[in-house]
Amino acid sequence: MRKRIYANDAERVAAHRARHGFVQLTVDIPVQTMLAFEEYLKFKDLSKRAVITKLLETQLLRKR
């Protein structure tokens, strides 16, 4: 059996985020918006991370 590198899943996730330069973003949105977003993700077979990152980069943070 492999030796555990991390004491728990929280440490494992924190290490993954640190290695890849990710931060956690939490927002409150209406239920209907979330349901529509989840349907979109299923239809396009994309991750939440990919869609939100692309939206932020192309819509809010683009150079003008």
Side-chain angles (χ1 to χ4, degrees):
M1 189 155 114
R2 283 178 49 176
K3 180 182 171 189
R4 289 186 66 101
I5 298 172
Y6 305 106
N8 55 41
D9 287 341
E11 281 187 15
R12 181 182 55 80
V13 171
H16 174 78
R17 287 184 182 138
R19 275 194 311 274
H20 296 286
F22 294 143
V23 295
Q24 186 172 2
L25 172 67
T26 303
V27 296
D28 294 326
I29 60 173
V31 172
Q32 292 299 331
T33 302
M34 186 61 194
L35 295 174
F37 182 55
E38 288 176 348
E39 285 182 28
Y40 175 82
L41 293 174
K42 282 183 189 176
F43 178 72
K44 294 288 190 175
D45 192 31
L46 296 169
S47 70
K48 290 178 187 176
R49 178 186 297 161
V51 173
I52 297 299
T53 300
K54 185 169 182 176
L55 280 173
L56 288 172
E57 290 173 349
T58 61
Q59 298 299 313
L60 295 174
L61 304 175
R62 66 182 179 195
K63 293 184 181 182
R64 297 172 187 202

